[in-house]
Amino acid sequence: MDRKVFMEKYGIHEDYYDFFNLELIVEINRIIEIVKKERYAPEEQNIFKALTTSINDAKVVIIGQDPYFQLNAATGLAFEVGNLTSWDVKFKQRSLQNIVRNIYESYNNKRETFSVIRNEIISKHFNLQEPNILFKSWQRQGVILLNSYFTVKIDGGGNTGTSHKSLWEIFFCRLIKFISEKNGNLIYFLWGNHAQNYKKYIVNGIIYESNHPSMAFGKEKQDFLNFEGFKKTKEIIEWIGN
């Protein structure tokens, strides 16, 4: 499979053309064949969904860890929850709930629980786009939503999150370096120790760090609820959606 066919198959933006050489494509096809031997997420056509965003037009890169391992939850975009079309619907992914909490505080200068914010969204007092629209808006505005592991084993027990780490680790290190070399003006959100381990591969750009959004209590300086990245970048990205 040549690189053009490969990139078209997965919807990968042409800005990645120089990255996906034939040797790498052979390796990725090998990885995907291994992955497909068990139940995995996201679906194959969405594995590289984050790479549909142009590097040259991008403004912010958000790095997560692994896709959601629950059935039908992973979409290929970090932190997006599959089939979630309204904030009125209950969902259990705490990371996304805390992301909404931080965005709310960035625009309203006050901290609230997710349940309070949900009610404000429903009553139209906080104009956050619905989740299935919000992530599309972020991509359209130039946000690259990367998981460092592009696939995960579905419901594989306690180590599910890192089940495919060894398959994607080298690939992801190379990818981050390529992105940061191609666009030196990017802003990176590194949430948690795992994401921060890739800092050494970011050769250009501005970095904002915090703990991972899955665990947020607001008590420590590095806690995700104290993360200032959304507030610092809301002039270039409309985080409530457009």
Side-chain angles (χ1 to χ4, degrees):
M1 181 184 295
D2 66 34
R3 72 176 80 186
K4 185 176 180 181
V5 172
F6 174 85
M7 292 175 70
E8 287 178 350
K9 176 181 179 180
Y10 293 104
I12 298 169
H13 195 277
E14 62 183 10
D15 286 353
Y16 293 90
Y17 185 84
D18 291 338
F19 178 72
F20 284 99
N21 58 48
L22 296 182
E23 180 181 354
L24 182 58
I25 289 171
V26 170
E27 175 61 15
I28 289 173
N29 285 331
R30 183 190 70 83
I31 292 171
I32 292 175
E33 287 306 308
I34 294 173
V35 167
K36 289 166 70 173
K37 291 179 180 179
E38 57 189 6
R39 298 176 73 213
Y40 69 96
E43 295 180 353
E44 183 179 359
Q45 67 267 26
N46 292 326
I47 290 176
F48 298 106
K49 187 176 180 180
L51 306 187
T52 60
T53 303
S54 165
I55 302 174
N56 292 328
D57 295 338
K59 299 171 184 174
V60 175
V61 178
I62 297 178
I63 299 179
Q65 182 172 319
D66 52 284
Y68 298 123
F69 59 81
Q70 299 91 353
L71 185 65
N72 298 323
T75 70
L77 299 181
F79 302 106
E80 183 181 38
V81 177
N83 300 322
L84 182 64
T85 60
S86 172
W87 298 115
D88 196 15
V89 177
K90 289 187 178 181
F91 62 97
K92 59 185 178 180
Q93 285 78 11
R94 191 173 299 275
S95 293
L96 182 55
Q97 293 179 12
N98 287 326
I99 288 169
V100 171
R101 292 181 68 192
N102 192 299
I103 291 172
Y104 177 89
E105 184 172 352
S106 298
Y107 282 86
N108 294 280
N109 296 315
K110 61 178 180 178
R111 184 169 297 174
E112 296 288 0
T113 64
F114 180 73
S115 59
V116 168
I117 296 169
R118 173 190 275 135
N119 289 335
E120 289 201 25
I121 295 171
I122 294 170
S123 64
K124 307 298 183 183
H125 289 100
F126 181 49
N127 294 318
L128 185 70
Q129 288 280 11
E130 298 291 7
N132 60 321
I133 299 173
L134 184 64
F135 281 82
K136 291 183 178 68
S137 171
W138 289 356
Q139 276 198 300
R140 186 170 59 250
Q141 294 181 74
V143 181
I144 300 176
L145 294 143
L146 286 173
N147 284 309
S148 54
Y149 317 147
F150 280 68
T151 59
V152 69
K153 184 178 180 180
I154 291 179
D155 292 326
N159 66 341
T160 295
T162 58
S163 57
H164 293 171
K165 175 181 177 180
S166 62
L167 296 175
W168 295 106
E169 185 79 18
I170 295 174
F171 168 80
F172 190 73
C173 293
R174 292 172 61 184
L175 177 65
I176 288 298
K177 187 171 185 292
F178 176 82
I179 290 172
S180 66
E181 288 176 339
K182 192 170 182 67
N183 185 341
N185 299 312
L186 290 169
I187 297 169
Y188 294 83
F189 292 177
L190 305 183
W191 295 336
N193 291 332
H194 175 82
Q196 289 155 21
N197 285 336
Y198 296 105
K199 185 161 54 173
K200 57 181 173 288
Y201 299 103
I202 299 172
V203 297
N204 300 291
I206 298 170
I207 295 174
Y208 292 105
E209 302 178 58
S210 77
N211 293 341
H212 194 275
S214 62
M215 298 292 290
F217 305 101
K219 296 180 179 180
E220 302 175 5
K221 182 179 180 181
Q222 281 296 104
D223 190 278
F224 178 77
L225 292 182
N226 297 322
F227 175 70
E228 295 191 340
F230 292 124
K231 185 180 296 183
K232 296 284 189 181
T233 58
K234 65 181 183 179
E235 299 302 320
I236 61 171
I237 300 292
E238 191 172 313
W239 293 109
I240 59 174
N242 63 10

XYZ file of all heavy atoms in Angstrom, residues 101-113 116-117 120 231:
151
model
N -15.734 21.536 33.439
C -15.635 22.378 34.638
C -14.556 23.444 34.469
O -14.745 24.613 34.835
C -15.324 21.523 35.868
C -16.445 20.589 36.287
C -16.053 19.807 37.524
N -15.946 20.698 38.686
C -15.402 20.328 39.849
N -14.882 19.115 39.992
N -15.350 21.178 40.849
N -13.417 23.065 33.912
C -12.324 24.024 33.737
C -12.685 25.079 32.693
O -12.413 26.268 32.878
C -11.042 23.286 33.336
C -9.820 24.165 33.428
O -9.725 25.179 32.750
N -8.866 23.782 34.259
N -13.312 24.646 31.609
C -13.741 25.607 30.582
C -14.752 26.583 31.166
O -14.686 27.795 30.921
C -14.333 24.857 29.362
C -13.222 24.092 28.625
C -15.030 25.826 28.410
C -13.721 23.180 27.532
N -15.676 26.068 31.946
C -16.682 26.928 32.575
C -16.009 28.010 33.425
O -16.344 29.200 33.339
C -17.616 26.083 33.439
C -18.657 26.885 34.200
C -19.886 27.169 33.621
C -18.403 27.335 35.494
C -20.847 27.901 34.313
C -19.350 28.077 36.189
C -20.569 28.349 35.591
O -21.508 29.089 36.273
N -15.067 27.601 34.246
C -14.369 28.562 35.107
C -13.562 29.559 34.282
O -13.463 30.738 34.638
C -13.458 27.833 36.089
C -12.768 28.772 37.075
C -12.018 28.045 38.163
O -12.148 26.801 38.267
O -11.306 28.714 38.936
N -13.010 29.111 33.160
C -12.215 29.992 32.303
C -13.051 31.121 31.718
O -12.540 32.205 31.438
C -11.571 29.183 31.168
O -10.693 28.202 31.686
N -14.347 30.872 31.539
C -15.235 31.885 30.957
C -16.069 32.633 31.998
O -16.569 33.726 31.714
C -16.173 31.237 29.936
C -15.512 30.955 28.613
C -14.801 29.782 28.407
C -15.576 31.868 27.566
C -14.179 29.518 27.191
C -14.963 31.617 26.350
C -14.265 30.445 26.173
O -13.636 30.186 24.957
N -16.209 32.058 33.179
C -17.106 32.646 34.185
C -16.412 33.059 35.482
O -17.059 33.626 36.367
C -18.237 31.663 34.506
C -19.158 31.422 33.333
O -20.038 32.221 33.036
N -18.943 30.304 32.637
N -15.128 32.733 35.579
C -14.341 33.119 36.759
C -14.920 32.597 38.066
O -14.800 33.234 39.112
C -14.189 34.642 36.829
C -13.400 35.196 35.667
O -12.352 34.656 35.305
N -13.911 36.263 35.057
N -15.557 31.445 38.000
C -16.006 30.791 39.224
C -16.019 29.285 38.986
O -16.145 28.818 37.854
C -17.396 31.275 39.651
C -18.511 31.016 38.660
C -19.844 31.505 39.211
C -20.981 31.246 38.214
N -22.290 31.671 38.768
N -15.853 28.527 40.046
C -15.764 27.073 39.960
C -17.064 26.439 40.432
O -17.597 26.806 41.477
C -14.592 26.569 40.801
C -14.330 25.077 40.724
C -13.006 24.730 41.366
N -11.911 25.372 40.645
C -10.640 25.351 41.052
N -10.311 24.746 42.181
N -9.711 25.945 40.339
N -17.574 25.500 39.641
C -18.811 24.818 39.979
C -18.659 23.320 39.750
O -17.759 22.872 39.038
C -19.980 25.340 39.134
C -20.352 26.787 39.353
C -21.043 27.041 40.683
O -21.240 26.077 41.453
O -21.402 28.199 40.954
N -19.547 22.543 40.340
C -19.589 21.113 40.074
C -20.143 20.883 38.671
O -20.809 21.761 38.095
C -20.484 20.385 41.083
O -21.825 20.847 40.927
C -20.014 20.645 42.509
N -24.008 21.268 38.441
C -24.470 22.651 38.376
C -24.285 23.202 36.964
O -25.174 23.854 36.401
C -23.720 23.535 39.402
C -23.982 25.024 39.142
C -24.137 23.161 40.815
N -23.127 22.927 36.388
C -22.837 23.417 35.030
C -23.791 22.790 34.022
O -24.285 23.465 33.112
C -21.365 23.118 34.658
C -20.425 23.884 35.588
C -21.101 23.491 33.198
C -18.982 23.470 35.474
N -26.901 24.646 34.033
C -26.754 25.950 33.382
C -26.730 25.814 31.858
O -27.226 26.684 31.144
C -25.489 26.652 33.882
C -25.587 27.135 35.318
C -24.592 28.225 35.641
O -24.152 28.941 34.704
O -24.246 28.354 36.829
N -7.943 29.223 29.693
C -8.069 30.665 29.921
C -7.041 31.437 29.103
O -7.342 32.490 28.532
C -7.886 30.968 31.411
C -8.107 32.424 31.791
C -7.905 32.640 33.296
C -8.939 31.873 34.097
N -8.808 32.129 35.559
